Amino acid sequence: MYLSWTAGRLDRLHARIDAARAALDAQLVRRASVTLELATSGLLDPAASLLLYEASHSARQSEDEHREVAESELSLALRAVFAEPEQLAVLVAAPGGEEAVKDLTAAARRVPMARRFHNDAVRAARAVREHRLVRYFRLAGKAPFPMAFEMDDAPPLALTPEGAPA
């Protein structure tokens, strides 16, 4: 009975990982799409537009094994472009800029949350899979060992509540 309960729990944890991964992918795609839209909008200077365009395009087109690096590079590009609060103020003052900033802020804030949920689910599944009985009786079946998604997901300070202009 214990083995059956444990196998069911492990199955639910793997389903939770799949759902969390799908949510994380959706948030990463949303952030890259919003960034790409901002880069092509003409609201930013050409250098910033090019930097954001290349980083967001790379993040959207990357293969799974390079995804973490590409998403980290997008985070770095966002922090580089919005390092100065004045850049954000200029963007908000432009026509259509306030909506673009609102969309980018929402996307940038949701990525760390989605990544945290995914990594928490991975951590819980790993803890169960490391039990001796789970390994001996192969209760995980052929499910791959869950891997955490490690990336630099810190949003630009100007897009956080602490750094938002008053």
Side-chain angles (χ1 to χ4, degrees), residues 38-45 49 87 90-91 94-97 100:
L38 179 64
T40 59
S41 68
L43 297 172
L44 297 171
D45 62 89
S49 292
Q87 176 72 16
V90 168
L91 184 59

Side-chain angles (χ1 to χ4, degrees), residues 59-127:
R60 288 184 70 181
Q61 300 298 321
S62 64
E63 299 291 327
D64 283 341
E65 60 269 3
H66 303 294
R67 181 105 188 253
E68 294 170 346
V69 173
E71 294 294 345
S72 294
E73 289 174 356
L74 178 55
S75 295
L76 289 171
L78 285 168
R79 284 199 305 272
V81 169
F82 296 109
E84 301 295 325
E86 294 80 31
Q87 176 72 16
L88 195 63
V90 168
L91 184 59
V92 168
E98 189 172 352
E99 185 69 27
V101 168
K102 190 167 65 169
D103 290 344
L104 182 62
T105 300
R109 289 181 184 173
R110 288 180 180 151
V111 167
M113 214 174 351
R115 189 176 76 86
R116 195 170 315 120
F117 286 139
H118 175 267
N119 289 348
D120 287 346
V122 167
R123 199 172 304 111
R126 282 182 171 183

